[in-house]
mmCIF file with all atom_site columns, all heavy atoms in Angstrom:
data_model
loop_
_atom_site.group_PDB
_atom_site.id
_atom_site.type_symbol
_atom_site.label_atom_id
_atom_site.label_alt_id
_atom_site.label_comp_id
_atom_site.label_asym_id
_atom_site.label_entity_id
_atom_site.label_seq_id
_atom_site.pdbx_PDB_ins_code
_atom_site.Cartn_x
_atom_site.Cartn_y
_atom_site.Cartn_z
_atom_site.occupancy
_atom_site.B_iso_or_equiv
_atom_site.pdbx_formal_charge
_atom_site.auth_seq_id
_atom_site.auth_comp_id
_atom_site.auth_asym_id
_atom_site.auth_atom_id
_atom_site.pdbx_PDB_model_num
ATOM   1   N N   . LEU A 1 178 ? 33.624 -93.950 -67.244 1.00 95.00 ? 178 LEU A N   1
ATOM   2   C CA  . LEU A 1 178 ? 32.761 -94.471 -68.308 1.00 95.00 ? 178 LEU A CA  1
ATOM   3   C C   . LEU A 1 178 ? 32.994 -95.928 -68.664 1.00 95.00 ? 178 LEU A C   1
ATOM   4   O O   . LEU A 1 178 ? 32.082 -96.631 -69.045 1.00 95.00 ? 178 LEU A O   1
ATOM   5   C CB  . LEU A 1 178 ? 32.967 -93.650 -69.586 1.00 95.00 ? 178 LEU A CB  1
ATOM   6   C CG  . LEU A 1 178 ? 32.343 -92.273 -69.617 1.00 95.00 ? 178 LEU A CG  1
ATOM   7   C CD1 . LEU A 1 178 ? 32.770 -91.555 -70.885 1.00 95.00 ? 178 LEU A CD1 1
ATOM   8   C CD2 . LEU A 1 178 ? 30.832 -92.380 -69.554 1.00 95.00 ? 178 LEU A CD2 1
ATOM   9   N N   . GLY B 2 209 ? 38.750 -90.958 -84.782 1.00 98.00 ? 209 GLY B N   1
ATOM   10  C CA  . GLY B 2 209 ? 37.472 -91.437 -84.260 1.00 98.00 ? 209 GLY B CA  1
ATOM   11  C C   . GLY B 2 209 ? 37.135 -92.804 -84.806 1.00 98.00 ? 209 GLY B C   1
ATOM   12  O O   . GLY B 2 209 ? 37.990 -93.494 -85.381 1.00 98.00 ? 209 GLY B O   1
ATOM   13  N N   . ARG B 2 210 ? 35.880 -93.161 -84.655 1.00 98.00 ? 210 ARG B N   1
ATOM   14  C CA  . ARG B 2 210 ? 35.441 -94.520 -84.965 1.00 98.00 ? 210 ARG B CA  1
ATOM   15  C C   . ARG B 2 210 ? 35.742 -94.944 -86.409 1.00 98.00 ? 210 ARG B C   1
ATOM   16  O O   . ARG B 2 210 ? 35.718 -96.142 -86.719 1.00 98.00 ? 210 ARG B O   1
ATOM   17  C CB  . ARG B 2 210 ? 33.944 -94.675 -84.686 1.00 98.00 ? 210 ARG B CB  1
ATOM   18  C CG  . ARG B 2 210 ? 33.576 -96.097 -84.350 1.00 98.00 ? 210 ARG B CG  1
ATOM   19  C CD  . ARG B 2 210 ? 32.085 -96.365 -84.199 1.00 98.00 ? 210 ARG B CD  1
ATOM   20  N NE  . ARG B 2 210 ? 31.356 -95.436 -83.366 1.00 98.00 ? 210 ARG B NE  1
ATOM   21  C CZ  . ARG B 2 210 ? 31.042 -95.654 -82.101 1.00 98.00 ? 210 ARG B CZ  1
ATOM   22  N NH1 . ARG B 2 210 ? 31.400 -96.769 -81.514 1.00 98.00 ? 210 ARG B NH1 1
ATOM   23  N NH2 . ARG B 2 210 ? 30.349 -94.760 -81.441 1.00 98.00 ? 210 ARG B NH2 1
ATOM   24  N N   . ALA B 2 211 ? 36.034 -93.997 -87.274 1.00 98.00 ? 211 ALA B N   1
ATOM   25  C CA  . ALA B 2 211 ? 36.412 -94.364 -88.645 1.00 98.00 ? 211 ALA B CA  1
ATOM   26  C C   . ALA B 2 211 ? 37.617 -95.294 -88.666 1.00 98.00 ? 211 ALA B C   1
ATOM   27  O O   . ALA B 2 211 ? 37.749 -96.123 -89.562 1.00 98.00 ? 211 ALA B O   1
ATOM   28  C CB  . ALA B 2 211 ? 36.712 -93.100 -89.451 1.00 98.00 ? 211 ALA B CB  1
ATOM   29  N N   . SER B 2 236 ? 38.820 -90.003 -79.938 1.00 98.00 ? 236 SER B N   1
ATOM   30  C CA  . SER B 2 236 ? 37.475 -89.884 -79.373 1.00 98.00 ? 236 SER B CA  1
ATOM   31  C C   . SER B 2 236 ? 37.283 -91.015 -78.372 1.00 98.00 ? 236 SER B C   1
ATOM   32  O O   . SER B 2 236 ? 38.069 -91.959 -78.314 1.00 98.00 ? 236 SER B O   1
ATOM   33  C CB  . SER B 2 236 ? 36.418 -89.983 -80.467 1.00 98.00 ? 236 SER B CB  1
ATOM   34  O OG  . SER B 2 236 ? 36.312 -91.327 -80.882 1.00 98.00 ? 236 SER B OG  1
ATOM   35  N N   . ARG B 2 237 ? 36.205 -90.919 -77.615 1.00 97.00 ? 237 ARG B N   1
ATOM   36  C CA  . ARG B 2 237 ? 35.911 -91.978 -76.652 1.00 97.00 ? 237 ARG B CA  1
ATOM   37  C C   . ARG B 2 237 ? 35.696 -93.320 -77.359 1.00 97.00 ? 237 ARG B C   1
ATOM   38  O O   . ARG B 2 237 ? 36.061 -94.374 -76.841 1.00 97.00 ? 237 ARG B O   1
ATOM   39  C CB  . ARG B 2 237 ? 34.647 -91.606 -75.869 1.00 97.00 ? 237 ARG B CB  1
ATOM   40  C CG  . ARG B 2 237 ? 34.175 -92.731 -74.986 1.00 97.00 ? 237 ARG B CG  1
ATOM   41  C CD  . ARG B 2 237 ? 32.805 -92.474 -74.396 1.00 97.00 ? 237 ARG B CD  1
ATOM   42  N NE  . ARG B 2 237 ? 32.297 -93.689 -73.777 1.00 97.00 ? 237 ARG B NE  1
ATOM   43  C CZ  . ARG B 2 237 ? 31.067 -93.852 -73.356 1.00 97.00 ? 237 ARG B CZ  1
ATOM   44  N NH1 . ARG B 2 237 ? 30.203 -92.859 -73.459 1.00 97.00 ? 237 ARG B NH1 1
ATOM   45  N NH2 . ARG B 2 237 ? 30.682 -94.976 -72.802 1.00 97.00 ? 237 ARG B NH2 1
ATOM   46  N N   . ALA B 2 238 ? 35.082 -93.270 -78.533 1.00 97.00 ? 238 ALA B N   1
ATOM   47  C CA  . ALA B 2 238 ? 34.711 -94.513 -79.206 1.00 97.00 ? 238 ALA B CA  1
ATOM   48  C C   . ALA B 2 238 ? 35.920 -95.429 -79.376 1.00 97.00 ? 238 ALA B C   1
ATOM   49  O O   . ALA B 2 238 ? 35.840 -96.635 -79.149 1.00 97.00 ? 238 ALA B O   1
ATOM   50  C CB  . ALA B 2 238 ? 34.068 -94.198 -80.556 1.00 97.00 ? 238 ALA B CB  1
ATOM   51  N N   . GLN B 2 250 ? 42.197 -89.805 -74.769 1.00 97.00 ? 250 GLN B N   1
ATOM   52  C CA  . GLN B 2 250 ? 40.812 -89.355 -74.987 1.00 97.00 ? 250 GLN B CA  1
ATOM   53  C C   . GLN B 2 250 ? 40.633 -87.859 -74.749 1.00 97.00 ? 250 GLN B C   1
ATOM   54  O O   . GLN B 2 250 ? 40.995 -87.321 -73.712 1.00 97.00 ? 250 GLN B O   1
ATOM   55  C CB  . GLN B 2 250 ? 39.860 -90.114 -74.062 1.00 97.00 ? 250 GLN B CB  1
ATOM   56  C CG  . GLN B 2 250 ? 38.397 -89.718 -74.294 1.00 97.00 ? 250 GLN B CG  1
ATOM   57  C CD  . GLN B 2 250 ? 37.446 -90.538 -73.448 1.00 97.00 ? 250 GLN B CD  1
ATOM   58  O OE1 . GLN B 2 250 ? 37.612 -91.745 -73.326 1.00 97.00 ? 250 GLN B OE1 1
ATOM   59  N NE2 . GLN B 2 250 ? 36.456 -89.887 -72.866 1.00 97.00 ? 250 GLN B NE2 1
ATOM   60  N N   . VAL B 2 251 ? 40.038 -87.212 -75.743 1.00 98.00 ? 251 VAL B N   1
ATOM   61  C CA  . VAL B 2 251 ? 39.735 -85.792 -75.659 1.00 98.00 ? 251 VAL B CA  1
ATOM   62  C C   . VAL B 2 251 ? 38.233 -85.646 -75.451 1.00 98.00 ? 251 VAL B C   1
ATOM   63  O O   . VAL B 2 251 ? 37.450 -86.334 -76.104 1.00 98.00 ? 251 VAL B O   1
ATOM   64  C CB  . VAL B 2 251 ? 40.156 -85.084 -76.971 1.00 98.00 ? 251 VAL B CB  1
ATOM   65  C CG1 . VAL B 2 251 ? 39.639 -83.653 -77.021 1.00 98.00 ? 251 VAL B CG1 1
ATOM   66  C CG2 . VAL B 2 251 ? 41.670 -85.129 -77.131 1.00 98.00 ? 251 VAL B CG2 1
ATOM   67  N N   . GLY B 2 252 ? 37.818 -84.779 -74.515 1.00 96.00 ? 252 GLY B N   1
ATOM   68  C CA  . GLY B 2 252 ? 36.391 -84.550 -74.354 1.00 96.00 ? 252 GLY B CA  1
ATOM   69  C C   . GLY B 2 252 ? 35.979 -84.252 -72.936 1.00 96.00 ? 252 GLY B C   1
ATOM   70  O O   . GLY B 2 252 ? 36.828 -84.071 -72.058 1.00 96.00 ? 252 GLY B O   1
ATOM   71  N N   . GLN B 2 253 ? 34.684 -84.239 -72.729 1.00 93.00 ? 253 GLN B N   1
ATOM   72  C CA  . GLN B 2 253 ? 34.096 -83.903 -71.432 1.00 93.00 ? 253 GLN B CA  1
ATOM   73  C C   . GLN B 2 253 ? 34.714 -84.730 -70.311 1.00 93.00 ? 253 GLN B C   1
ATOM   74  O O   . GLN B 2 253 ? 34.969 -84.225 -69.223 1.00 93.00 ? 253 GLN B O   1
ATOM   75  C CB  . GLN B 2 253 ? 32.585 -84.169 -71.482 1.00 93.00 ? 253 GLN B CB  1
ATOM   76  C CG  . GLN B 2 253 ? 31.839 -83.829 -70.212 1.00 93.00 ? 253 GLN B CG  1
ATOM   77  C CD  . GLN B 2 253 ? 30.385 -84.267 -70.267 1.00 93.00 ? 253 GLN B CD  1
ATOM   78  O OE1 . GLN B 2 253 ? 30.011 -85.116 -71.059 1.00 93.00 ? 253 GLN B OE1 1
ATOM   79  N NE2 . GLN B 2 253 ? 29.559 -83.659 -69.428 1.00 93.00 ? 253 GLN B NE2 1
ATOM   80  N N   . THR B 2 254 ? 34.938 -86.012 -70.584 1.00 92.00 ? 254 THR B N   1
ATOM   81  C CA  . THR B 2 254 ? 35.483 -86.874 -69.539 1.00 92.00 ? 254 THR B CA  1
ATOM   82  C C   . THR B 2 254 ? 36.909 -87.265 -69.822 1.00 92.00 ? 254 THR B C   1
ATOM   83  O O   . THR B 2 254 ? 37.477 -88.088 -69.123 1.00 92.00 ? 254 THR B O   1
ATOM   84  C CB  . THR B 2 254 ? 34.634 -88.147 -69.407 1.00 92.00 ? 254 THR B CB  1
ATOM   85  O OG1 . THR B 2 254 ? 34.476 -88.696 -70.713 1.00 92.00 ? 254 THR B OG1 1
ATOM   86  C CG2 . THR B 2 254 ? 33.301 -87.840 -68.827 1.00 92.00 ? 254 THR B CG2 1
ATOM   87  N N   . GLY B 2 255 ? 37.479 -86.694 -70.849 1.00 93.00 ? 255 GLY B N   1
ATOM   88  C CA  . GLY B 2 255 ? 38.875 -86.958 -71.156 1.00 93.00 ? 255 GLY B CA  1
ATOM   89  C C   . GLY B 2 255 ? 39.662 -85.698 -70.900 1.00 93.00 ? 255 GLY B C   1
ATOM   90  O O   . GLY B 2 255 ? 39.443 -84.995 -69.920 1.00 93.00 ? 255 GLY B O   1
ATOM   91  N N   . GLY B 2 267 ? 37.590 -88.609 -88.944 1.00 98.00 ? 267 GLY B N   1
ATOM   92  C CA  . GLY B 2 267 ? 36.530 -89.593 -88.739 1.00 98.00 ? 267 GLY B CA  1
ATOM   93  C C   . GLY B 2 267 ? 35.929 -89.527 -87.361 1.00 98.00 ? 267 GLY B C   1
ATOM   94  O O   . GLY B 2 267 ? 35.691 -90.544 -86.715 1.00 98.00 ? 267 GLY B O   1
ATOM   95  N N   . ILE B 2 268 ? 35.705 -88.294 -86.891 1.00 98.00 ? 268 ILE B N   1
ATOM   96  C CA  . ILE B 2 268 ? 35.042 -88.052 -85.602 1.00 98.00 ? 268 ILE B CA  1
ATOM   97  C C   . ILE B 2 268 ? 33.737 -87.323 -85.908 1.00 98.00 ? 268 ILE B C   1
ATOM   98  O O   . ILE B 2 268 ? 33.739 -86.347 -86.655 1.00 98.00 ? 268 ILE B O   1
ATOM   99  C CB  . ILE B 2 268 ? 35.943 -87.195 -84.679 1.00 98.00 ? 268 ILE B CB  1
ATOM   100 C CG1 . ILE B 2 268 ? 37.180 -88.004 -84.250 1.00 98.00 ? 268 ILE B CG1 1
ATOM   101 C CG2 . ILE B 2 268 ? 35.167 -86.699 -83.455 1.00 98.00 ? 268 ILE B CG2 1
ATOM   102 C CD1 . ILE B 2 268 ? 38.163 -87.241 -83.388 1.00 98.00 ? 268 ILE B CD1 1
ATOM   103 N N   . SER B 2 269 ? 32.627 -87.806 -85.336 1.00 98.00 ? 269 SER B N   1
ATOM   104 C CA  . SER B 2 269 ? 31.329 -87.231 -85.733 1.00 98.00 ? 269 SER B CA  1
ATOM   105 C C   . SER B 2 269 ? 31.112 -85.834 -85.153 1.00 98.00 ? 269 SER B C   1
ATOM   106 O O   . SER B 2 269 ? 30.454 -85.000 -85.760 1.00 98.00 ? 269 SER B O   1
ATOM   107 C CB  . SER B 2 269 ? 30.191 -88.157 -85.305 1.00 98.00 ? 269 SER B CB  1
ATOM   108 O OG  . SER B 2 269 ? 30.198 -88.323 -83.899 1.00 98.00 ? 269 SER B OG  1
ATOM   109 N N   . ALA B 2 271 ? 30.252 -85.300 -81.479 1.00 96.00 ? 271 ALA B N   1
ATOM   110 C CA  . ALA B 2 271 ? 29.294 -85.326 -80.362 1.00 96.00 ? 271 ALA B CA  1
ATOM   111 C C   . ALA B 2 271 ? 29.641 -84.211 -79.371 1.00 96.00 ? 271 ALA B C   1
ATOM   112 O O   . ALA B 2 271 ? 30.815 -83.856 -79.232 1.00 96.00 ? 271 ALA B O   1
ATOM   113 C CB  . ALA B 2 271 ? 29.368 -86.684 -79.651 1.00 96.00 ? 271 ALA B CB  1
ATOM   114 N N   . GLN B 2 273 ? 29.992 -84.188 -76.309 1.00 95.00 ? 273 GLN B N   1
ATOM   115 C CA  . GLN B 2 273 ? 30.988 -84.556 -75.308 1.00 95.00 ? 273 GLN B CA  1
ATOM   116 C C   . GLN B 2 273 ? 32.405 -84.493 -75.879 1.00 95.00 ? 273 GLN B C   1
ATOM   117 O O   . GLN B 2 273 ? 33.350 -84.256 -75.154 1.00 95.00 ? 273 GLN B O   1
ATOM   118 C CB  . GLN B 2 273 ? 30.715 -85.972 -74.768 1.00 95.00 ? 273 GLN B CB  1
ATOM   119 C CG  . GLN B 2 273 ? 29.424 -86.106 -74.006 1.00 95.00 ? 273 GLN B CG  1
ATOM   120 C CD  . GLN B 2 273 ? 28.262 -86.515 -74.891 1.00 95.00 ? 273 GLN B CD  1
ATOM   121 O OE1 . GLN B 2 273 ? 28.387 -86.564 -76.113 1.00 95.00 ? 273 GLN B OE1 1
ATOM   122 N NE2 . GLN B 2 273 ? 27.129 -86.815 -74.292 1.00 95.00 ? 273 GLN B NE2 1
ATOM   123 N N   . HIS B 2 274 ? 32.538 -84.730 -77.160 1.00 97.00 ? 274 HIS B N   1
ATOM   124 C CA  . HIS B 2 274 ? 33.871 -84.584 -77.764 1.00 97.00 ? 274 HIS B CA  1
ATOM   125 C C   . HIS B 2 274 ? 34.196 -83.100 -77.967 1.00 97.00 ? 274 HIS B C   1
ATOM   126 O O   . HIS B 2 274 ? 35.291 -82.646 -77.630 1.00 97.00 ? 274 HIS B O   1
ATOM   127 C CB  . HIS B 2 274 ? 33.973 -85.350 -79.082 1.00 97.00 ? 274 HIS B CB  1
ATOM   128 C CG  . HIS B 2 274 ? 35.380 -85.390 -79.613 1.00 97.00 ? 274 HIS B CG  1
ATOM   129 N ND1 . HIS B 2 274 ? 36.331 -86.249 -79.122 1.00 97.00 ? 274 HIS B ND1 1
ATOM   130 C CD2 . HIS B 2 274 ? 36.009 -84.621 -80.533 1.00 97.00 ? 274 HIS B CD2 1
ATOM   131 C CE1 . HIS B 2 274 ? 37.487 -86.016 -79.732 1.00 97.00 ? 274 HIS B CE1 1
ATOM   132 N NE2 . HIS B 2 274 ? 37.323 -85.033 -80.599 1.00 97.00 ? 274 HIS B NE2 1
ATOM   133 N N   . ASN B 2 288 ? 35.845 -86.040 -92.827 1.00 98.00 ? 288 ASN B N   1
ATOM   134 C CA  . ASN B 2 288 ? 34.781 -86.986 -92.503 1.00 98.00 ? 288 ASN B CA  1
ATOM   135 C C   . ASN B 2 288 ? 34.048 -87.329 -93.790 1.00 98.00 ? 288 ASN B C   1
ATOM   136 O O   . ASN B 2 288 ? 33.840 -86.460 -94.638 1.00 98.00 ? 288 ASN B O   1
ATOM   137 C CB  . ASN B 2 288 ? 33.823 -86.354 -91.479 1.00 98.00 ? 288 ASN B CB  1
ATOM   138 C CG  . ASN B 2 288 ? 32.933 -87.376 -90.799 1.00 98.00 ? 288 ASN B CG  1
ATOM   139 O OD1 . ASN B 2 288 ? 32.219 -88.123 -91.471 1.00 98.00 ? 288 ASN B OD1 1
ATOM   140 N ND2 . ASN B 2 288 ? 32.983 -87.420 -89.478 1.00 98.00 ? 288 ASN B ND2 1
ATOM   141 N N   . SER B 2 289 ? 33.644 -88.586 -93.915 1.00 98.00 ? 289 SER B N   1
ATOM   142 C CA  . SER B 2 289 ? 32.972 -88.995 -95.155 1.00 98.00 ? 289 SER B CA  1
ATOM   143 C C   . SER B 2 289 ? 31.514 -88.555 -95.195 1.00 98.00 ? 289 SER B C   1
ATOM   144 O O   . SER B 2 289 ? 30.893 -88.560 -96.249 1.00 98.00 ? 289 SER B O   1
ATOM   145 C CB  . SER B 2 289 ? 33.076 -90.513 -95.323 1.00 98.00 ? 289 SER B CB  1
ATOM   146 O OG  . SER B 2 289 ? 32.635 -91.144 -94.138 1.00 98.00 ? 289 SER B OG  1
ATOM   147 N N   . ASP B 2 290 ? 30.974 -88.177 -94.044 1.00 98.00 ? 290 ASP B N   1
ATOM   148 C CA  . ASP B 2 290 ? 29.567 -87.766 -93.994 1.00 98.00 ? 290 ASP B CA  1
ATOM   149 C C   . ASP B 2 290 ? 29.477 -86.236 -94.069 1.00 98.00 ? 290 ASP B C   1
ATOM   150 O O   . ASP B 2 290 ? 29.869 -85.548 -93.130 1.00 98.00 ? 290 ASP B O   1
ATOM   151 C CB  . ASP B 2 290 ? 28.958 -88.274 -92.681 1.00 98.00 ? 290 ASP B CB  1
ATOM   152 C CG  . ASP B 2 290 ? 27.542 -87.772 -92.462 1.00 98.00 ? 290 ASP B CG  1
ATOM   153 O OD1 . ASP B 2 290 ? 26.990 -87.105 -93.369 1.00 98.00 ? 290 ASP B OD1 1
ATOM   154 O OD2 . ASP B 2 290 ? 26.995 -88.027 -91.370 1.00 98.00 ? 290 ASP B OD2 1
ATOM   155 N N   . GLY B 2 305 ? 35.552 -86.663 -97.114 1.00 98.00 ? 305 GLY B N   1
ATOM   156 C CA  . GLY B 2 305 ? 36.330 -87.717 -97.757 1.00 98.00 ? 305 GLY B CA  1
ATOM   157 C C   . GLY B 2 305 ? 36.592 -88.865 -96.806 1.00 98.00 ? 305 GLY B C   1
ATOM   158 O O   . GLY B 2 305 ? 36.315 -88.779 -95.606 1.00 98.00 ? 305 GLY B O   1
ATOM   159 N N   . ASP B 2 306 ? 37.112 -89.938 -97.371 1.00 98.00 ? 306 ASP B N   1
ATOM   160 C CA  . ASP B 2 306 ? 37.428 -91.140 -96.607 1.00 98.00 ? 306 ASP B CA  1
ATOM   161 C C   . ASP B 2 306 ? 38.828 -90.973 -96.008 1.00 98.00 ? 306 ASP B C   1
ATOM   162 O O   . ASP B 2 306 ? 39.788 -90.753 -96.748 1.00 98.00 ? 306 ASP B O   1
ATOM   163 C CB  . ASP B 2 306 ? 37.376 -92.342 -97.564 1.00 98.00 ? 306 ASP B CB  1
ATOM   164 C CG  . ASP B 2 306 ? 37.585 -93.666 -96.842 1.00 98.00 ? 306 ASP B CG  1
ATOM   165 O OD1 . ASP B 2 306 ? 38.217 -93.676 -95.760 1.00 98.00 ? 306 ASP B OD1 1
ATOM   166 O OD2 . ASP B 2 306 ? 37.109 -94.692 -97.360 1.00 98.00 ? 306 ASP B OD2 1
ATOM   167 N N   . VAL B 2 307 ? 38.940 -91.096 -94.703 1.00 98.00 ? 307 VAL B N   1
ATOM   168 C CA  . VAL B 2 307 ? 40.257 -90.901 -94.075 1.00 98.00 ? 307 VAL B CA  1
ATOM   169 C C   . VAL B 2 307 ? 41.291 -91.902 -94.614 1.00 98.00 ? 307 VAL B C   1
ATOM   170 O O   . VAL B 2 307 ? 42.471 -91.592 -94.664 1.00 98.00 ? 307 VAL B O   1
ATOM   171 C CB  . VAL B 2 307 ? 40.204 -90.982 -92.525 1.00 98.00 ? 307 VAL B CB  1
ATOM   172 C CG1 . VAL B 2 307 ? 39.461 -89.808 -91.942 1.00 98.00 ? 307 VAL B CG1 1
ATOM   173 C CG2 . VAL B 2 307 ? 39.623 -92.295 -92.051 1.00 98.00 ? 307 VAL B CG2 1
HETATM 174 C C1  . FAD C 3 .   ? 28.603 -89.097 -70.183 1.00 95.73 ? 401 FAD C C1  1
HETATM 175 C C2  . FAD C 3 .   ? 29.307 -89.175 -71.493 1.00 95.73 ? 401 FAD C C2  1
HETATM 176 C C3  . FAD C 3 .   ? 30.607 -88.691 -71.586 1.00 95.73 ? 401 FAD C C3  1
HETATM 177 C C4  . FAD C 3 .   ? 31.290 -88.756 -72.803 1.00 95.73 ? 401 FAD C C4  1
HETATM 178 N N1  . FAD C 3 .   ? 32.568 -88.262 -72.868 1.00 95.73 ? 401 FAD C N1  1
HETATM 179 C C5  . FAD C 3 .   ? 33.216 -88.276 -74.067 1.00 95.73 ? 401 FAD C C5  1
HETATM 180 C C6  . FAD C 3 .   ? 34.539 -87.748 -74.194 1.00 95.73 ? 401 FAD C C6  1
HETATM 181 O O1  . FAD C 3 .   ? 35.165 -87.291 -73.226 1.00 95.73 ? 401 FAD C O1  1
HETATM 182 N N2  . FAD C 3 .   ? 35.118 -87.765 -75.431 1.00 95.73 ? 401 FAD C N2  1
HETATM 183 C C7  . FAD C 3 .   ? 34.489 -88.272 -76.534 1.00 95.73 ? 401 FAD C C7  1
HETATM 184 O O2  . FAD C 3 .   ? 35.075 -88.246 -77.630 1.00 95.73 ? 401 FAD C O2  1
HETATM 185 N N3  . FAD C 3 .   ? 33.261 -88.804 -76.427 1.00 95.73 ? 401 FAD C N3  1
HETATM 186 C C8  . FAD C 3 .   ? 32.614 -88.831 -75.224 1.00 95.73 ? 401 FAD C C8  1
HETATM 187 N N4  . FAD C 3 .   ? 31.374 -89.402 -75.142 1.00 95.73 ? 401 FAD C N4  1
HETATM 188 C C9  . FAD C 3 .   ? 30.867 -90.154 -76.308 1.00 95.73 ? 401 FAD C C9  1
HETATM 189 C C10 . FAD C 3 .   ? 30.239 -89.304 -77.386 1.00 95.73 ? 401 FAD C C10 1
HETATM 190 O O3  . FAD C 3 .   ? 28.876 -89.096 -77.079 1.00 95.73 ? 401 FAD C O3  1
HETATM 191 C C11 . FAD C 3 .   ? 30.334 -90.023 -78.755 1.00 95.73 ? 401 FAD C C11 1
HETATM 192 O O4  . FAD C 3 .   ? 29.725 -91.281 -78.647 1.00 95.73 ? 401 FAD C O4  1
HETATM 193 C C12 . FAD C 3 .   ? 31.757 -90.220 -79.261 1.00 95.73 ? 401 FAD C C12 1
HETATM 194 O O5  . FAD C 3 .   ? 32.469 -88.991 -79.180 1.00 95.73 ? 401 FAD C O5  1
HETATM 195 C C13 . FAD C 3 .   ? 31.712 -90.711 -80.667 1.00 95.73 ? 401 FAD C C13 1
HETATM 196 O O6  . FAD C 3 .   ? 33.014 -90.964 -81.144 1.00 95.73 ? 401 FAD C O6  1
HETATM 197 P P1  . FAD C 3 .   ? 33.311 -90.873 -82.701 1.00 95.73 ? 401 FAD C P1  1
HETATM 198 O O7  . FAD C 3 .   ? 33.008 -89.526 -83.207 1.00 95.73 ? 401 FAD C O7  1
HETATM 199 O O8  . FAD C 3 .   ? 34.690 -91.394 -82.881 1.00 95.73 ? 401 FAD C O8  1
HETATM 200 O O9  . FAD C 3 .   ? 32.340 -91.982 -83.301 1.00 95.73 ? 401 FAD C O9  1
HETATM 201 P P2  . FAD C 3 .   ? 31.019 -91.824 -84.166 1.00 95.73 ? 401 FAD C P2  1
HETATM 202 O O10 . FAD C 3 .   ? 30.058 -90.909 -83.543 1.00 95.73 ? 401 FAD C O10 1
HETATM 203 O O11 . FAD C 3 .   ? 30.593 -93.206 -84.507 1.00 95.73 ? 401 FAD C O11 1
HETATM 204 O O12 . FAD C 3 .   ? 31.531 -91.099 -85.476 1.00 95.73 ? 401 FAD C O12 1
HETATM 205 C C14 . FAD C 3 .   ? 32.356 -91.684 -86.430 1.00 95.73 ? 401 FAD C C14 1
HETATM 206 C C15 . FAD C 3 .   ? 32.442 -90.697 -87.575 1.00 95.73 ? 401 FAD C C15 1
HETATM 207 O O13 . FAD C 3 .   ? 33.374 -91.174 -88.533 1.00 95.73 ? 401 FAD C O13 1
HETATM 208 C C16 . FAD C 3 .   ? 32.858 -90.959 -89.823 1.00 95.73 ? 401 FAD C C16 1
HETATM 209 N N5  . FAD C 3 .   ? 33.484 -91.977 -90.678 1.00 95.73 ? 401 FAD C N5  1
HETATM 210 C C17 . FAD C 3 .   ? 33.279 -93.322 -90.660 1.00 95.73 ? 401 FAD C C17 1
HETATM 211 N N6  . FAD C 3 .   ? 34.108 -93.920 -91.539 1.00 95.73 ? 401 FAD C N6  1
HETATM 212 C C18 . FAD C 3 .   ? 34.838 -92.940 -92.120 1.00 95.73 ? 401 FAD C C18 1
HETATM 213 C C19 . FAD C 3 .   ? 35.880 -92.931 -93.080 1.00 95.73 ? 401 FAD C C19 1
HETATM 214 N N7  . FAD C 3 .   ? 36.361 -94.077 -93.633 1.00 95.73 ? 401 FAD C N7  1
HETATM 215 N N8  . FAD C 3 .   ? 36.425 -91.748 -93.423 1.00 95.73 ? 401 FAD C N8  1
HETATM 216 C C20 . FAD C 3 .   ? 35.974 -90.596 -92.872 1.00 95.73 ? 401 FAD C C20 1
HETATM 217 N N9  . FAD C 3 .   ? 35.002 -90.542 -91.951 1.00 95.73 ? 401 FAD C N9  1
HETATM 218 C C21 . FAD C 3 .   ? 34.438 -91.709 -91.584 1.00 95.73 ? 401 FAD C C21 1
HETATM 219 C C22 . FAD C 3 .   ? 31.371 -91.083 -89.695 1.00 95.73 ? 401 FAD C C22 1
HETATM 220 O O14 . FAD C 3 .   ? 30.742 -90.324 -90.740 1.00 95.73 ? 401 FAD C O14 1
HETATM 221 C C23 . FAD C 3 .   ? 31.132 -90.476 -88.315 1.00 95.73 ? 401 FAD C C23 1
HETATM 222 O O15 . FAD C 3 .   ? 30.884 -89.088 -88.414 1.00 95.73 ? 401 FAD C O15 1
HETATM 223 C C24 . FAD C 3 .   ? 30.672 -89.330 -73.939 1.00 95.73 ? 401 FAD C C24 1
HETATM 224 C C25 . FAD C 3 .   ? 29.372 -89.811 -73.837 1.00 95.73 ? 401 FAD C C25 1
HETATM 225 C C26 . FAD C 3 .   ? 28.689 -89.745 -72.640 1.00 95.73 ? 401 FAD C C26 1
HETATM 226 C C27 . FAD C 3 .   ? 27.292 -90.265 -72.569 1.00 95.73 ? 401 FAD C C27 1
#
Side-chain angles (χ1 to χ4, degrees):
Chain A
L178 285 174
Chain B
R210 207 186 312 261
S236 74
R237 172 190 169 191
Q250 182 176 317
V251 170
Q253 182 187 20
T254 50
I268 292 178
S269 60
Q273 295 91 352
H274 189 79
N288 196 304
S289 52
D290 174 5
D306 184 335
V307 291

